PDB file of all heavy atoms in Angstrom:
ATOM      1  N   ASP G 471     -58.422 -31.605-110.941  1.00 63.00           N
ATOM      2  CA  ASP G 471     -57.580 -32.637-110.317  1.00 63.00           C
ATOM      3  C   ASP G 471     -56.391 -32.004-109.594  1.00 63.00           C
ATOM      4  O   ASP G 471     -56.015 -32.443-108.492  1.00 63.00           O
ATOM      5  CB  ASP G 471     -57.078 -33.619-111.383  1.00 63.00           C
ATOM      6  CG  ASP G 471     -58.204 -34.480-111.956  1.00 63.00           C
ATOM      7  OD1 ASP G 471     -59.279 -34.515-111.326  1.00 63.00           O
ATOM      8  OD2 ASP G 471     -58.006 -35.094-113.015  1.00 63.00           O
ATOM      9  N   GLU G 472     -55.789 -30.967-110.204  1.00 63.00           N
ATOM     10  CA  GLU G 472     -54.653 -30.302-109.566  1.00 63.00           C
ATOM     11  C   GLU G 472     -55.076 -29.626-108.267  1.00 63.00           C
ATOM     12  O   GLU G 472     -54.341 -29.636-107.283  1.00 63.00           O
ATOM     13  CB  GLU G 472     -54.037 -29.274-110.523  1.00 63.00           C
ATOM     14  CG  GLU G 472     -53.208 -29.892-111.629  1.00 63.00           C
ATOM     15  CD  GLU G 472     -52.445 -28.847-112.427  1.00 63.00           C
ATOM     16  OE1 GLU G 472     -52.514 -27.661-112.071  1.00 63.00           O
ATOM     17  OE2 GLU G 472     -51.772 -29.225-113.395  1.00 63.00           O
ATOM     18  N   VAL G 473     -56.264 -29.021-108.277  1.00 70.00           N
ATOM     19  CA  VAL G 473     -56.765 -28.360-107.065  1.00 70.00           C
ATOM     20  C   VAL G 473     -56.892 -29.365-105.926  1.00 70.00           C
ATOM     21  O   VAL G 473     -56.496 -29.102-104.787  1.00 70.00           O
ATOM     22  CB  VAL G 473     -58.125 -27.674-107.336  1.00 70.00           C
ATOM     23  CG1 VAL G 473     -58.783 -27.246-106.030  1.00 70.00           C
ATOM     24  CG2 VAL G 473     -57.932 -26.455-108.224  1.00 70.00           C
ATOM     25  N   ILE G 474     -57.444 -30.539-106.233  1.00 70.00           N
ATOM     26  CA  ILE G 474     -57.617 -31.570-105.201  1.00 70.00           C
ATOM     27  C   ILE G 474     -56.261 -31.995-104.635  1.00 70.00           C
ATOM     28  O   ILE G 474     -56.075 -32.108-103.415  1.00 70.00           O
ATOM     29  CB  ILE G 474     -58.362 -32.791-105.788  1.00 70.00           C
ATOM     30  CG1 ILE G 474     -59.810 -32.399-106.130  1.00 70.00           C
ATOM     31  CG2 ILE G 474     -58.345 -33.962-104.806  1.00 70.00           C
ATOM     32  CD1 ILE G 474     -60.555 -33.451-106.919  1.00 70.00           C
ATOM     33  N   ILE G 475     -55.296 -32.211-105.535  1.00 65.00           N
ATOM     34  CA  ILE G 475     -53.960 -32.638-105.099  1.00 65.00           C
ATOM     35  C   ILE G 475     -53.314 -31.587-104.202  1.00 65.00           C
ATOM     36  O   ILE G 475     -52.778 -31.890-103.129  1.00 65.00           O
ATOM     37  CB  ILE G 475     -53.066 -32.924-106.328  1.00 65.00           C
ATOM     38  CG1 ILE G 475     -53.577 -34.167-107.070  1.00 65.00           C
ATOM     39  CG2 ILE G 475     -51.614 -33.124-105.903  1.00 65.00           C
ATOM     40  CD1 ILE G 475     -52.931 -34.367-108.426  1.00 65.00           C
ATOM     41  N   LEU G 476     -53.381 -30.322-104.631  1.00 66.00           N
ATOM     42  CA  LEU G 476     -52.736 -29.241-103.879  1.00 66.00           C
ATOM     43  C   LEU G 476     -53.440 -28.997-102.540  1.00 66.00           C
ATOM     44  O   LEU G 476     -52.797 -28.653-101.554  1.00 66.00           O
ATOM     45  CB  LEU G 476     -52.704 -27.966-104.719  1.00 66.00           C
ATOM     46  CG  LEU G 476     -51.849 -28.050-105.992  1.00 66.00           C
ATOM     47  CD1 LEU G 476     -51.995 -26.785-106.824  1.00 66.00           C
ATOM     48  CD2 LEU G 476     -50.385 -28.290-105.655  1.00 66.00           C
ATOM     49  N   LYS G 477     -54.747 -29.157-102.509  1.00 70.00           N
ATOM     50  CA  LYS G 477     -55.474 -29.036-101.234  1.00 70.00           C
ATOM     51  C   LYS G 477     -55.019 -30.108-100.254  1.00 70.00           C
ATOM     52  O   LYS G 477     -54.828 -29.856 -99.068  1.00 70.00           O
ATOM     53  CB  LYS G 477     -56.986 -29.154-101.474  1.00 70.00           C
ATOM     54  CG  LYS G 477     -57.660 -27.845-101.835  1.00 70.00           C
ATOM     55  CD  LYS G 477     -59.163 -28.028-101.888  1.00 70.00           C
ATOM     56  CE  LYS G 477     -59.857 -26.693-102.147  1.00 70.00           C
ATOM     57  NZ  LYS G 477     -61.330 -26.857-102.235  1.00 70.00           N
ATOM     58  N   ASN G 478     -54.876 -31.317-100.776  1.00 68.00           N
ATOM     59  CA  ASN G 478     -54.436 -32.421 -99.918  1.00 68.00           C
ATOM     60  C   ASN G 478     -53.024 -32.200 -99.384  1.00 68.00           C
ATOM     61  O   ASN G 478     -52.641 -32.758 -98.352  1.00 68.00           O
ATOM     62  CB  ASN G 478     -54.491 -33.739-100.689  1.00 68.00           C
ATOM     63  CG  ASN G 478     -55.921 -34.187-100.970  1.00 68.00           C
ATOM     64  OD1 ASN G 478     -56.852 -33.757-100.276  1.00 68.00           O
ATOM     65  ND2 ASN G 478     -56.109 -35.029-101.968  1.00 68.00           N
ATOM     66  N   GLU G 479     -52.231 -31.380-100.129  1.00 62.00           N
ATOM     67  CA  GLU G 479     -50.886 -31.055 -99.668  1.00 62.00           C
ATOM     68  C   GLU G 479     -50.870 -29.880 -98.697  1.00 62.00           C
ATOM     69  O   GLU G 479     -49.805 -29.440 -98.256  1.00 62.00           O
ATOM     70  CB  GLU G 479     -49.990 -30.745-100.874  1.00 62.00           C
ATOM     71  CG  GLU G 479     -49.705 -31.973-101.739  1.00 62.00           C
ATOM     72  CD  GLU G 479     -48.813 -31.645-102.922  1.00 62.00           C
ATOM     73  OE1 GLU G 479     -48.474 -30.465-103.085  1.00 62.00           O
ATOM     74  OE2 GLU G 479     -48.466 -32.566-103.680  1.00 62.00           O
ATOM     75  N   GLY G 480     -52.060 -29.344 -98.381  1.00 70.00           N
ATOM     76  CA  GLY G 480     -52.160 -28.283 -97.387  1.00 70.00           C
ATOM     77  C   GLY G 480     -52.044 -26.884 -97.937  1.00 70.00           C
ATOM     78  O   GLY G 480     -51.925 -25.912 -97.183  1.00 70.00           O
ATOM     79  N   MET G 481     -52.091 -26.703 -99.264  1.00 70.00           N
ATOM     80  CA  MET G 481     -51.968 -25.374 -99.848  1.00 70.00           C
ATOM     81  C   MET G 481     -53.310 -24.640 -99.753  1.00 70.00           C
ATOM     82  O   MET G 481     -54.365 -25.236 -99.989  1.00 70.00           O
ATOM     83  CB  MET G 481     -51.536 -25.501-101.314  1.00 70.00           C
ATOM     84  CG  MET G 481     -51.076 -24.205-101.955  1.00 70.00           C
ATOM     85  SD  MET G 481     -50.494 -24.438-103.665  1.00 70.00           S
ATOM     86  CE  MET G 481     -48.926 -25.260-103.405  1.00 70.00           C
ATOM     87  N   ASP G 482     -53.272 -23.347 -99.403  1.00 72.00           N
ATOM     88  CA  ASP G 482     -54.530 -22.605 -99.289  1.00 72.00           C
ATOM     89  C   ASP G 482     -55.011 -22.145-100.672  1.00 72.00           C
ATOM     90  O   ASP G 482     -54.301 -22.246-101.668  1.00 72.00           O
ATOM     91  CB  ASP G 482     -54.406 -21.407 -98.339  1.00 72.00           C
ATOM     92  CG  ASP G 482     -53.426 -20.347 -98.831  1.00 72.00           C
ATOM     93  OD1 ASP G 482     -53.370 -20.110-100.054  1.00 72.00           O
ATOM     94  OD2 ASP G 482     -52.730 -19.745 -97.989  1.00 72.00           O
ATOM     95  N   SER G 483     -56.255 -21.614-100.728  1.00 71.00           N
ATOM     96  CA  SER G 483     -56.912 -21.304-102.000  1.00 71.00           C
ATOM     97  C   SER G 483     -56.138 -20.286-102.829  1.00 71.00           C
ATOM     98  O   SER G 483     -55.992 -20.433-104.048  1.00 71.00           O
ATOM     99  CB  SER G 483     -58.331 -20.790-101.750  1.00 71.00           C
ATOM    100  OG  SER G 483     -59.109 -21.791-101.143  1.00 71.00           O
ATOM    101  N   ASP G 484     -55.642 -19.215-102.188  1.00 71.00           N
ATOM    102  CA  ASP G 484     -54.911 -18.191-102.935  1.00 71.00           C
ATOM    103  C   ASP G 484     -53.634 -18.753-103.547  1.00 71.00           C
ATOM    104  O   ASP G 484     -53.291 -18.459-104.698  1.00 71.00           O
ATOM    105  CB  ASP G 484     -54.572 -17.006-102.023  1.00 71.00           C
ATOM    106  CG  ASP G 484     -55.807 -16.193-101.660  1.00 71.00           C
ATOM    107  OD1 ASP G 484     -56.803 -16.298-102.406  1.00 71.00           O
ATOM    108  OD2 ASP G 484     -55.770 -15.480-100.646  1.00 71.00           O
ATOM    109  N   GLU G 485     -52.926 -19.572-102.777  1.00 69.00           N
ATOM    110  CA  GLU G 485     -51.690 -20.176-103.285  1.00 69.00           C
ATOM    111  C   GLU G 485     -51.996 -21.121-104.446  1.00 69.00           C
ATOM    112  O   GLU G 485     -51.257 -21.181-105.426  1.00 69.00           O
ATOM    113  CB  GLU G 485     -50.972 -20.932-102.163  1.00 69.00           C
ATOM    114  CG  GLU G 485     -50.320 -20.024-101.119  1.00 69.00           C
ATOM    115  CD  GLU G 485     -49.699 -20.831 -99.997  1.00 69.00           C
ATOM    116  OE1 GLU G 485     -50.287 -21.870 -99.625  1.00 69.00           O
ATOM    117  OE2 GLU G 485     -48.640 -20.434 -99.491  1.00 69.00           O
ATOM    118  N   ILE G 486     -53.087 -21.869-104.318  1.00 69.00           N
ATOM    119  CA  ILE G 486     -53.476 -22.804-105.378  1.00 69.00           C
ATOM    120  C   ILE G 486     -53.753 -22.056-106.672  1.00 69.00           C
ATOM    121  O   ILE G 486     -53.315 -22.449-107.754  1.00 69.00           O
ATOM    122  CB  ILE G 486     -54.716 -23.626-104.955  1.00 69.00           C
ATOM    123  CG1 ILE G 486     -54.324 -24.640-103.865  1.00 69.00           C
ATOM    124  CG2 ILE G 486     -55.333 -24.356-106.150  1.00 69.00           C
ATOM    125  CD1 ILE G 486     -55.492 -25.377-103.258  1.00 69.00           C
ATOM    126  N   LYS G 487     -54.475 -20.941-106.565  1.00 67.00           N
ATOM    127  CA  LYS G 487     -54.805 -20.162-107.760  1.00 67.00           C
ATOM    128  C   LYS G 487     -53.547 -19.630-108.436  1.00 67.00           C
ATOM    129  O   LYS G 487     -53.406 -19.669-109.658  1.00 67.00           O
ATOM    130  CB  LYS G 487     -55.748 -19.016-107.402  1.00 67.00           C
ATOM    131  CG  LYS G 487     -57.182 -19.465-107.140  1.00 67.00           C
ATOM    132  CD  LYS G 487     -58.092 -18.284-106.848  1.00 67.00           C
ATOM    133  CE  LYS G 487     -59.514 -18.771-106.586  1.00 67.00           C
ATOM    134  NZ  LYS G 487     -60.436 -17.656-106.287  1.00 67.00           N
ATOM    135  N   LYS G 488     -52.618 -19.128-107.628  1.00 65.00           N
ATOM    136  CA  LYS G 488     -51.367 -18.616-108.196  1.00 65.00           C
ATOM    137  C   LYS G 488     -50.587 -19.734-108.873  1.00 65.00           C
ATOM    138  O   LYS G 488     -50.027 -19.565-109.960  1.00 65.00           O
ATOM    139  CB  LYS G 488     -50.511 -17.983-107.091  1.00 65.00           C
ATOM    140  CG  LYS G 488     -51.056 -16.659-106.567  1.00 65.00           C
ATOM    141  CD  LYS G 488     -50.173 -16.123-105.446  1.00 65.00           C
ATOM    142  CE  LYS G 488     -50.749 -14.839-104.858  1.00 65.00           C
ATOM    143  NZ  LYS G 488     -49.931 -14.348-103.719  1.00 65.00           N
ATOM    144  N   PHE G 489     -50.556 -20.884-108.233  1.00 62.00           N
ATOM    145  CA  PHE G 489     -49.789 -22.026-108.736  1.00 62.00           C
ATOM    146  C   PHE G 489     -50.343 -22.503-110.078  1.00 62.00           C
ATOM    147  O   PHE G 489     -49.611 -22.689-111.056  1.00 62.00           O
ATOM    148  CB  PHE G 489     -49.849 -23.162-107.715  1.00 62.00           C
ATOM    149  CG  PHE G 489     -48.978 -24.341-108.051  1.00 62.00           C
ATOM    150  CD1 PHE G 489     -47.653 -24.387-107.645  1.00 62.00           C
ATOM    151  CD2 PHE G 489     -49.490 -25.401-108.774  1.00 62.00           C
ATOM    152  CE1 PHE G 489     -46.854 -25.473-107.955  1.00 62.00           C
ATOM    153  CE2 PHE G 489     -48.699 -26.492-109.096  1.00 62.00           C
ATOM    154  CZ  PHE G 489     -47.377 -26.521-108.676  1.00 62.00           C
ATOM    155  N   ILE G 490     -51.657 -22.674-110.146  1.00 64.00           N
ATOM    156  CA  ILE G 490     -52.257 -23.235-111.355  1.00 64.00           C
ATOM    157  C   ILE G 490     -52.332 -22.200-112.475  1.00 64.00           C
ATOM    158  O   ILE G 490     -52.197 -22.538-113.649  1.00 64.00           O
ATOM    159  CB  ILE G 490     -53.650 -23.821-111.046  1.00 64.00           C
ATOM    160  CG1 ILE G 490     -53.509 -24.970-110.029  1.00 64.00           C
ATOM    161  CG2 ILE G 490     -54.317 -24.345-112.314  1.00 64.00           C
ATOM    162  CD1 ILE G 490     -54.802 -25.619-109.643  1.00 64.00           C
ATOM    163  N   THR G 491     -52.550 -20.949-112.119  1.00 65.00           N
ATOM    164  CA  THR G 491     -52.584 -19.898-113.147  1.00 65.00           C
ATOM    165  C   THR G 491     -51.287 -19.893-113.950  1.00 65.00           C
ATOM    166  O   THR G 491     -51.284 -19.685-115.167  1.00 65.00           O
ATOM    167  CB  THR G 491     -52.807 -18.509-112.515  1.00 65.00           C
ATOM    168  OG1 THR G 491     -54.077 -18.510-111.855  1.00 65.00           O
ATOM    169  CG2 THR G 491     -52.813 -17.425-113.577  1.00 65.00           C
ATOM    170  N   ALA G 492     -50.177 -20.131-113.278  1.00 56.00           N
ATOM    171  CA  ALA G 492     -48.878 -20.153-113.963  1.00 56.00           C
ATOM    172  C   ALA G 492     -48.796 -21.296-114.967  1.00 56.00           C
ATOM    173  O   ALA G 492     -48.023 -21.244-115.921  1.00 56.00           O
ATOM    174  CB  ALA G 492     -47.754 -20.293-112.931  1.00 56.00           C
ATOM    175  N   ASP G 493     -49.609 -22.342-114.782  1.00 53.00           N
ATOM    176  CA  ASP G 493     -49.551 -23.503-115.667  1.00 53.00           C
ATOM    177  C   ASP G 493     -50.553 -23.455-116.814  1.00 53.00           C
ATOM    178  O   ASP G 493     -50.457 -24.222-117.768  1.00 53.00           O
ATOM    179  CB  ASP G 493     -49.830 -24.795-114.871  1.00 53.00           C
ATOM    180  CG  ASP G 493     -48.648 -25.183-113.998  1.00 53.00           C
ATOM    181  OD1 ASP G 493     -47.562 -24.645-114.236  1.00 53.00           O
ATOM    182  OD2 ASP G 493     -48.831 -25.994-113.093  1.00 53.00           O
ATOM    183  N   ILE G 494     -51.542 -22.570-116.737  1.00 57.00           N
ATOM    184  CA  ILE G 494     -52.650 -22.631-117.682  1.00 57.00           C
ATOM    185  C   ILE G 494     -52.194 -22.445-119.121  1.00 57.00           C
ATOM    186  O   ILE G 494     -52.575 -23.193-120.024  1.00 57.00           O
ATOM    187  CB  ILE G 494     -53.746 -21.606-117.303  1.00 57.00           C
ATOM    188  CG1 ILE G 494     -54.522 -22.130-116.079  1.00 57.00           C
ATOM    189  CG2 ILE G 494     -54.705 -21.371-118.465  1.00 57.00           C
ATOM    190  CD1 ILE G 494     -55.544 -21.161-115.534  1.00 57.00           C
ATOM    191  N   ASN G 495     -51.353 -21.444-119.367  1.00 50.00           N
ATOM    192  CA  ASN G 495     -50.890 -21.206-120.735  1.00 50.00           C
ATOM    193  C   ASN G 495     -50.135 -22.414-121.276  1.00 50.00           C
ATOM    194  O   ASN G 495     -50.271 -22.773-122.445  1.00 50.00           O
ATOM    195  CB  ASN G 495     -49.988 -19.972-120.796  1.00 50.00           C
ATOM    196  CG  ASN G 495     -50.783 -18.694-120.706  1.00 50.00           C
ATOM    197  OD1 ASN G 495     -51.891 -18.610-121.218  1.00 50.00           O
ATOM    198  ND2 ASN G 495     -50.232 -17.696-120.058  1.00 50.00           N
TER     199      ASN G 495
END
Side-chain angles (χ1 to χ4, degrees):
D471 291 345
E472 285 189 4
V473 168
I474 293 170
I475 292 169
L476 295 174
K477 274 187 176 179
N478 290 339
E479 291 180 357
M481 193 177 287
D482 64 37
S483 297
D484 289 339
E485 288 177 324
I486 289 173
K487 285 182 180 180
K488 289 178 183 177
F489 186 88
I490 298 180
T491 298
D493 286 344
I494 285 175
N495 284 325

